């Protein structure tokens, strides 16, 4: 069964910490995405990547960065975590330009 | 710009009731349209999709038809079950990538 795996289901971090959220896919997909999901706001795109070492900003990139050193791995980095970054983070991948994303199970991050 | 507007929830139904979730979109060109479902505690799963006008996507008893004239992609199921309780997201992909999502509709089905 094809998978997108996010390293943690739940994380609690302190304000100001540097936080790494890891995502790995085993489908050889070129495209990978990071979204955050908040009640009443739906899903918002943070960053995406079409290829190794390539990244593009989504709709809400402020306070975040990403890294894609290998095709299967796409990391989201919170340089200095803040309480307004408490959210559910969803990673997704796709292999074609017609959509049909495969999502991971999500990481619920709480910043205290 | 590209956007999706879907019916606000929450929606509460009894088992075997008919479900409709309205979704309309704004986009340039000819986007692909999707419905995703998120069960409690899980990530999103692709439920169905349609890539051109008049296409009908279907899966697990759910259906949606791509209506270009009304810019709509309404989700329907004739007889819901408790296991259909979830959050449903409408989404569009104007150029085949970078999906834009609606806000989601929470559906609760009672036995």
């Amino acid at each position: 069964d094809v998978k997108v795996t996010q390293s943690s289901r739940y994380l609690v971090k302190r304000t100001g910490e540097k936080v790494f959220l890891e995502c790995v896919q085993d489908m050889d997909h070129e495209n990978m995405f990071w979204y955050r999901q908040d009640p009443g706001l739906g899903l918002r795109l943070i960053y995406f990547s079409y290829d190794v070492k390539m990244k593009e900003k989504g709709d809400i990139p402020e306070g975040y960065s990403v890294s894609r050193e290998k095709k299967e791995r796409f990391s989201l980095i919170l340089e200095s975590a803040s309480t307004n970054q408490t959210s559910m983070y969803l990673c997704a991948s796709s292999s074609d330009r017609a959509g049909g994303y495969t999502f991971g199970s999500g990481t619920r991050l709480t910043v205290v | 710009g590209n956007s999706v507007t879907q019916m606000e929830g929450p929606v509460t139904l009894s088992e075997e009731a008919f479900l409709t979730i309205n979704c309309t979109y704004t986009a340039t060109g000819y986007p692909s349209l999707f419905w995703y479902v998120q069960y409690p505690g899980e990530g999103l799963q692709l439920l169905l999709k349609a890539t051109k006008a008049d296409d009908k996507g279907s899966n697990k008893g759910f259906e949606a038809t791509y209506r270009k004239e009304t810019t709509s992609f309404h989700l329907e199921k004739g007889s819901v079950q408790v296991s259909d309780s979830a959050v449903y997201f409408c989404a569009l992909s104007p150029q085949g990538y970078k999906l834009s999502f609606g806000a989601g509709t929470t559906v609760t089905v009672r036995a």
Side-chain angles (χ1 to χ4, degrees):
Chain A
D1 202 13
V2 295
K3 277 187 178 177
V4 175
T5 303
Q6 295 184 230
S7 54
S8 304
R9 290 298 298 269
Y10 300 94
L11 275 179
V12 180
K13 296 292 182 180
R14 295 186 186 277
T15 301
E17 276 193 79
K18 189 169 186 177
V19 180
F20 293 85
L21 302 183
E22 305 289 345
C23 176
V24 177
Q25 51 97 0
D26 64 0
M27 297 165 283
D28 201 36
H29 285 174
E30 295 82 11
N31 313 313
M32 297 188 75
F33 306 83
W34 275 107
Y35 289 84
R36 65 176 283 177
Q37 181 179 17
D38 300 288
L41 297 177
L43 278 78
R44 294 179 290 168
L45 181 64
I46 305 171
Y47 268 96
F48 59 104
S49 169
Y50 290 140
D51 201 352
V52 176
K53 297 189 185 295
M54 176 275 176
K55 60 187 178 184
E56 288 197 27
K57 294 179 180 179
D59 301 318
I60 52 162
E62 295 79 17
Y64 303 94
S65 62
V66 290
S67 172
R68 194 167 181 200
E69 295 297 319
K70 294 184 178 181
K71 189 176 185 179
E72 67 270 18
R73 186 180 297 270
F74 192 37
S75 303
L76 180 69
I77 304 158
L78 286 66
E79 298 291 343
S80 177
S82 64
T83 55
N84 63 12
Q85 293 179 309
T86 292
S87 186
M88 170 70 86
Y89 290 87
L90 293 167
C91 177
S93 71
S94 72
S95 66
D96 57 62
R97 290 178 173 254
Y101 291 5
T102 301
F103 280 86
S105 298
T107 296
R108 185 166 295 281
L109 172 67
T110 301
V111 181
V112 298
Chain B
N2 301 307
S3 66
V4 174
T5 302
Q6 66 179 97
M7 173 178 152
E8 288 188 21
V11 174
T12 302
L13 302 165
S14 297
E15 262 192 324
E16 300 184 3
F18 185 87
L19 171 66
T20 299
I21 304 175
N22 290 339
C23 172
T24 57
Y25 68 90
T26 301
T28 55
Y30 302 94
S32 296
L33 300 172
F34 306 84
W35 277 101
Y36 283 82
V37 59
Q38 185 178 32
Y39 299 106
E42 299 183 14
L44 278 72
Q45 302 174 24
L46 178 64
L47 182 58
L48 53 84
K49 70 177 183 180
T51 57
K52 61 182 186 297
D54 299 324
D55 267 3
K56 177 185 283 188
S58 62
N59 186 24
K60 299 182 180 180
F62 290 90
E63 293 184 342
T65 301
Y66 189 146
R67 301 288 188 197
K68 188 166 177 60
E69 64 276 12
T70 55
T71 61
S72 64
F73 192 54
H74 304 321
L75 183 69
E76 297 181 335
K77 186 173 185 181
S79 178
V80 293
Q81 305 301 312
V82 172
S83 57
D84 294 323
S85 298
V87 182
Y88 293 83
F89 292 91
C90 186
L92 70 82
S93 181
Q95 298 144 324
Y97 57 94
K98 211 172 110 178
L99 296 186
S100 294
F101 288 87
T105 301
T106 300
V107 174
T108 302
V109 180
R110 294 182 173 169

PDB file of all heavy atoms in Angstrom, chain B residues 11-33:
ATOM      1  N   VAL B  11     -23.455  19.290   9.201  1.00  0.00           N
ATOM      2  CA  VAL B  11     -24.643  18.633   8.700  1.00  0.00           C
ATOM      3  C   VAL B  11     -24.871  17.370   9.525  1.00  0.00           C
ATOM      4  O   VAL B  11     -23.945  16.581   9.701  1.00  0.00           O
ATOM      5  CB  VAL B  11     -24.471  18.257   7.208  1.00  0.00           C
ATOM      6  CG1 VAL B  11     -25.664  17.450   6.725  1.00  0.00           C
ATOM      7  CG2 VAL B  11     -24.269  19.507   6.352  1.00  0.00           C
ATOM      8  N   THR B  12     -26.070  17.203  10.026  1.00  0.00           N
ATOM      9  CA  THR B  12     -26.425  16.020  10.804  1.00  0.00           C
ATOM     10  C   THR B  12     -27.581  15.310  10.124  1.00  0.00           C
ATOM     11  O   THR B  12     -28.591  15.942   9.792  1.00  0.00           O
ATOM     12  CB  THR B  12     -26.805  16.381  12.244  1.00  0.00           C
ATOM     13  OG1 THR B  12     -25.705  17.074  12.863  1.00  0.00           O
ATOM     14  CG2 THR B  12     -27.097  15.128  13.057  1.00  0.00           C
ATOM     15  N   LEU B  13     -27.404  14.017   9.904  1.00  0.00           N
ATOM     16  CA  LEU B  13     -28.391  13.223   9.180  1.00  0.00           C
ATOM     17  C   LEU B  13     -28.666  11.929   9.935  1.00  0.00           C
ATOM     18  O   LEU B  13     -27.822  11.469  10.719  1.00  0.00           O
ATOM     19  CB  LEU B  13     -27.852  12.833   7.800  1.00  0.00           C
ATOM     20  CG  LEU B  13     -27.439  13.940   6.843  1.00  0.00           C
ATOM     21  CD1 LEU B  13     -26.611  13.340   5.727  1.00  0.00           C
ATOM     22  CD2 LEU B  13     -28.663  14.614   6.280  1.00  0.00           C
ATOM     23  N   SER B  14     -29.776  11.312   9.609  1.00  0.00           N
ATOM     24  CA  SER B  14     -30.058   9.965  10.081  1.00  0.00           C
ATOM     25  C   SER B  14     -29.571   8.958   9.043  1.00  0.00           C
ATOM     26  O   SER B  14     -29.466   9.276   7.849  1.00  0.00           O
ATOM     27  CB  SER B  14     -31.551   9.781  10.324  1.00  0.00           C
ATOM     28  OG  SER B  14     -31.995  10.658  11.338  1.00  0.00           O
ATOM     29  N   GLU B  15     -29.263   7.757   9.500  1.00  0.00           N
ATOM     30  CA  GLU B  15     -28.876   6.702   8.569  1.00  0.00           C
ATOM     31  C   GLU B  15     -29.911   6.532   7.481  1.00  0.00           C
ATOM     32  O   GLU B  15     -31.108   6.664   7.716  1.00  0.00           O
ATOM     33  CB  GLU B  15     -28.726   5.361   9.323  1.00  0.00           C
ATOM     34  CG  GLU B  15     -27.310   5.025   9.678  1.00  0.00           C
ATOM     35  CD  GLU B  15     -27.127   3.591  10.153  1.00  0.00           C
ATOM     36  OE1 GLU B  15     -28.040   3.090  10.840  1.00  0.00           O
ATOM     37  OE2 GLU B  15     -26.086   2.990   9.860  1.00  0.00           O
ATOM     38  N   GLU B  16     -29.420   6.246   6.289  1.00  0.00           N
ATOM     39  CA  GLU B  16     -30.230   6.013   5.082  1.00  0.00           C
ATOM     40  C   GLU B  16     -30.791   7.303   4.489  1.00  0.00           C
ATOM     41  O   GLU B  16     -31.510   7.246   3.491  1.00  0.00           O
ATOM     42  CB  GLU B  16     -31.358   5.005   5.341  1.00  0.00           C
ATOM     43  CG  GLU B  16     -30.828   3.630   5.782  1.00  0.00           C
ATOM     44  CD  GLU B  16     -31.936   2.606   5.955  1.00  0.00           C
ATOM     45  OE1 GLU B  16     -33.110   2.937   5.680  1.00  0.00           O
ATOM     46  OE2 GLU B  16     -31.634   1.480   6.365  1.00  0.00           O
ATOM     47  N   ALA B  17     -30.478   8.427   5.064  1.00  0.00           N
ATOM     48  CA  ALA B  17     -30.916   9.699   4.478  1.00  0.00           C
ATOM     49  C   ALA B  17     -30.076  10.032   3.249  1.00  0.00           C
ATOM     50  O   ALA B  17     -28.999   9.469   3.030  1.00  0.00           O
ATOM     51  CB  ALA B  17     -30.812  10.822   5.509  1.00  0.00           C
ATOM     52  N   PHE B  18     -30.584  10.989   2.464  1.00  0.00           N
ATOM     53  CA  PHE B  18     -29.886  11.464   1.267  1.00  0.00           C
ATOM     54  C   PHE B  18     -28.976  12.631   1.656  1.00  0.00           C
ATOM     55  O   PHE B  18     -29.388  13.546   2.372  1.00  0.00           O
ATOM     56  CB  PHE B  18     -30.913  11.926   0.227  1.00  0.00           C
ATOM     57  CG  PHE B  18     -30.308  12.331  -1.087  1.00  0.00           C
ATOM     58  CD1 PHE B  18     -30.070  11.379  -2.069  1.00  0.00           C
ATOM     59  CD2 PHE B  18     -29.976  13.654  -1.340  1.00  0.00           C
ATOM     60  CE1 PHE B  18     -29.516  11.745  -3.287  1.00  0.00           C
ATOM     61  CE2 PHE B  18     -29.416  14.025  -2.562  1.00  0.00           C
ATOM     62  CZ  PHE B  18     -29.194  13.066  -3.532  1.00  0.00           C
ATOM     63  N   LEU B  19     -27.755  12.580   1.167  1.00  0.00           N
ATOM     64  CA  LEU B  19     -26.780  13.622   1.484  1.00  0.00           C
ATOM     65  C   LEU B  19     -26.429  14.413   0.229  1.00  0.00           C
ATOM     66  O   LEU B  19     -26.129  13.823  -0.820  1.00  0.00           O
ATOM     67  CB  LEU B  19     -25.498  13.007   2.049  1.00  0.00           C
ATOM     68  CG  LEU B  19     -24.304  13.952   2.240  1.00  0.00           C
ATOM     69  CD1 LEU B  19     -24.601  14.997   3.310  1.00  0.00           C
ATOM     70  CD2 LEU B  19     -23.046  13.166   2.577  1.00  0.00           C
ATOM     71  N   THR B  20     -26.461  15.729   0.355  1.00  0.00           N
ATOM     72  CA  THR B  20     -25.926  16.614  -0.677  1.00  0.00           C
ATOM     73  C   THR B  20     -25.042  17.649  -0.012  1.00  0.00           C
ATOM     74  O   THR B  20     -25.449  18.265   0.981  1.00  0.00           O
ATOM     75  CB  THR B  20     -27.040  17.364  -1.444  1.00  0.00           C
ATOM     76  OG1 THR B  20     -27.868  16.424  -2.092  1.00  0.00           O
ATOM     77  CG2 THR B  20     -26.444  18.296  -2.485  1.00  0.00           C
ATOM     78  N   ILE B  21     -23.848  17.838  -0.543  1.00  0.00           N
ATOM     79  CA  ILE B  21     -22.963  18.918  -0.105  1.00  0.00           C
ATOM     80  C   ILE B  21     -22.661  19.765  -1.335  1.00  0.00           C
ATOM     81  O   ILE B  21     -22.100  19.283  -2.313  1.00  0.00           O
ATOM     82  CB  ILE B  21     -21.654  18.400   0.498  1.00  0.00           C
ATOM     83  CG1 ILE B  21     -21.930  17.442   1.655  1.00  0.00           C
ATOM     84  CG2 ILE B  21     -20.807  19.582   0.990  1.00  0.00           C
ATOM     85  CD1 ILE B  21     -20.673  16.794   2.223  1.00  0.00           C
ATOM     86  N   ASN B  22     -23.066  21.021  -1.268  1.00  0.00           N
ATOM     87  CA  ASN B  22     -22.879  21.905  -2.413  1.00  0.00           C
ATOM     88  C   ASN B  22     -21.457  22.434  -2.486  1.00  0.00           C
ATOM     89  O   ASN B  22     -20.837  22.756  -1.463  1.00  0.00           O
ATOM     90  CB  ASN B  22     -23.839  23.085  -2.339  1.00  0.00           C
ATOM     91  CG  ASN B  22     -25.270  22.664  -2.575  1.00  0.00           C
ATOM     92  OD1 ASN B  22     -25.534  21.609  -3.154  1.00  0.00           O
ATOM     93  ND2 ASN B  22     -26.208  23.473  -2.130  1.00  0.00           N
ATOM     94  N   CYS B  23     -20.956  22.520  -3.715  1.00  0.00           N
ATOM     95  CA  CYS B  23     -19.630  23.072  -3.962  1.00  0.00           C
ATOM     96  C   CYS B  23     -19.678  23.865  -5.255  1.00  0.00           C
ATOM     97  O   CYS B  23     -20.121  23.354  -6.291  1.00  0.00           O
ATOM     98  CB  CYS B  23     -18.597  21.959  -4.086  1.00  0.00           C
ATOM     99  SG  CYS B  23     -16.963  22.522  -4.616  1.00  0.00           S
ATOM    100  N   THR B  24     -19.266  25.118  -5.196  1.00  0.00           N
ATOM    101  CA  THR B  24     -19.113  25.934  -6.398  1.00  0.00           C
ATOM    102  C   THR B  24     -17.687  26.464  -6.456  1.00  0.00           C
ATOM    103  O   THR B  24     -17.009  26.558  -5.432  1.00  0.00           O
ATOM    104  CB  THR B  24     -20.108  27.113  -6.424  1.00  0.00           C
ATOM    105  OG1 THR B  24     -19.917  27.905  -5.254  1.00  0.00           O
ATOM    106  CG2 THR B  24     -21.542  26.620  -6.455  1.00  0.00           C
ATOM    107  N   TYR B  25     -17.264  26.799  -7.648  1.00  0.00           N
ATOM    108  CA  TYR B  25     -15.871  27.205  -7.800  1.00  0.00           C
ATOM    109  C   TYR B  25     -15.750  28.418  -8.707  1.00  0.00           C
ATOM    110  O   TYR B  25     -16.650  28.718  -9.506  1.00  0.00           O
ATOM    111  CB  TYR B  25     -15.041  26.049  -8.353  1.00  0.00           C
ATOM    112  CG  TYR B  25     -15.376  25.673  -9.780  1.00  0.00           C
ATOM    113  CD1 TYR B  25     -14.731  26.272 -10.856  1.00  0.00           C
ATOM    114  CD2 TYR B  25     -16.345  24.715 -10.053  1.00  0.00           C
ATOM    115  CE1 TYR B  25     -15.043  25.939 -12.161  1.00  0.00           C
ATOM    116  CE2 TYR B  25     -16.664  24.373 -11.353  1.00  0.00           C
ATOM    117  CZ  TYR B  25     -16.023  24.984 -12.398  1.00  0.00           C
ATOM    118  OH  TYR B  25     -16.344  24.652 -13.688  1.00  0.00           O
ATOM    119  N   THR B  26     -14.627  29.078  -8.578  1.00  0.00           N
ATOM    120  CA  THR B  26     -14.222  30.154  -9.475  1.00  0.00           C
ATOM    121  C   THR B  26     -12.826  29.814  -9.962  1.00  0.00           C
ATOM    122  O   THR B  26     -11.927  29.555  -9.152  1.00  0.00           O
ATOM    123  CB  THR B  26     -14.194  31.510  -8.750  1.00  0.00           C
ATOM    124  OG1 THR B  26     -15.490  31.786  -8.223  1.00  0.00           O
ATOM    125  CG2 THR B  26     -13.789  32.626  -9.701  1.00  0.00           C
ATOM    126  N   ALA B  27     -12.664  29.775 -11.274  1.00  0.00           N
ATOM    127  CA  ALA B  27     -11.345  29.433 -11.819  1.00  0.00           C
ATOM    128  C   ALA B  27     -11.272  29.895 -13.260  1.00  0.00           C
ATOM    129  O   ALA B  27     -12.281  30.003 -13.955  1.00  0.00           O
ATOM    130  CB  ALA B  27     -11.104  27.930 -11.739  1.00  0.00           C
ATOM    131  N   THR B  28     -10.060  30.132 -13.687  1.00  0.00           N
ATOM    132  CA  THR B  28      -9.843  30.397 -15.108  1.00  0.00           C
ATOM    133  C   THR B  28      -9.555  29.075 -15.804  1.00  0.00           C
ATOM    134  O   THR B  28      -9.046  28.125 -15.196  1.00  0.00           O
ATOM    135  CB  THR B  28      -8.649  31.350 -15.292  1.00  0.00           C
ATOM    136  OG1 THR B  28      -7.517  30.788 -14.623  1.00  0.00           O
ATOM    137  CG2 THR B  28      -8.954  32.714 -14.691  1.00  0.00           C
ATOM    138  N   GLY B  29      -9.911  29.004 -17.049  1.00  0.00           N
ATOM    139  CA  GLY B  29      -9.626  27.801 -17.807  1.00  0.00           C
ATOM    140  C   GLY B  29     -10.504  26.635 -17.406  1.00  0.00           C
ATOM    141  O   GLY B  29     -11.673  26.804 -17.050  1.00  0.00           O
ATOM    142  N   TYR B  30      -9.921  25.443 -17.436  1.00  0.00           N
ATOM    143  CA  TYR B  30     -10.675  24.212 -17.218  1.00  0.00           C
ATOM    144  C   TYR B  30     -10.026  23.398 -16.108  1.00  0.00           C
ATOM    145  O   TYR B  30      -9.209  22.519 -16.365  1.00  0.00           O
ATOM    146  CB  TYR B  30     -10.729  23.414 -18.520  1.00  0.00           C
ATOM    147  CG  TYR B  30     -11.349  24.202 -19.655  1.00  0.00           C
ATOM    148  CD1 TYR B  30     -10.553  24.933 -20.545  1.00  0.00           C
ATOM    149  CD2 TYR B  30     -12.726  24.248 -19.810  1.00  0.00           C
ATOM    150  CE1 TYR B  30     -11.133  25.675 -21.562  1.00  0.00           C
ATOM    151  CE2 TYR B  30     -13.306  24.986 -20.830  1.00  0.00           C
ATOM    152  CZ  TYR B  30     -12.498  25.702 -21.707  1.00  0.00           C
ATOM    153  OH  TYR B  30     -13.064  26.437 -22.706  1.00  0.00           O
ATOM    154  N   PRO B  31     -10.408  23.696 -14.859  1.00  0.00           N
ATOM    155  CA  PRO B  31      -9.757  23.000 -13.749  1.00  0.00           C
ATOM    156  C   PRO B  31     -10.232  21.560 -13.606  1.00  0.00           C
ATOM    157  O   PRO B  31     -11.304  21.199 -14.098  1.00  0.00           O
ATOM    158  CB  PRO B  31     -10.198  23.821 -12.538  1.00  0.00           C
ATOM    159  CG  PRO B  31     -11.548  24.360 -12.931  1.00  0.00           C
ATOM    160  CD  PRO B  31     -11.434  24.651 -14.413  1.00  0.00           C
ATOM    161  N   SER B  32      -9.446  20.765 -12.931  1.00  0.00           N
ATOM    162  CA  SER B  32      -9.901  19.474 -12.425  1.00  0.00           C
ATOM    163  C   SER B  32     -10.539  19.700 -11.059  1.00  0.00           C
ATOM    164  O   SER B  32     -10.141  20.595 -10.319  1.00  0.00           O
ATOM    165  CB  SER B  32      -8.728  18.500 -12.289  1.00  0.00           C
ATOM    166  OG  SER B  32      -8.166  18.208 -13.547  1.00  0.00           O
ATOM    167  N   LEU B  33     -11.529  18.878 -10.728  1.00  0.00           N
ATOM    168  CA  LEU B  33     -12.277  19.041  -9.485  1.00  0.00           C
ATOM    169  C   LEU B  33     -12.234  17.758  -8.674  1.00  0.00           C
ATOM    170  O   LEU B  33     -12.229  16.656  -9.241  1.00  0.00           O
ATOM    171  CB  LEU B  33     -13.734  19.422  -9.787  1.00  0.00           C
ATOM    172  CG  LEU B  33     -13.917  20.720 -10.565  1.00  0.00           C
ATOM    173  CD1 LEU B  33     -15.386  20.882 -10.972  1.00  0.00           C
ATOM    174  CD2 LEU B  33     -13.469  21.916  -9.738  1.00  0.00           C
TER     175      LEU B  33
END
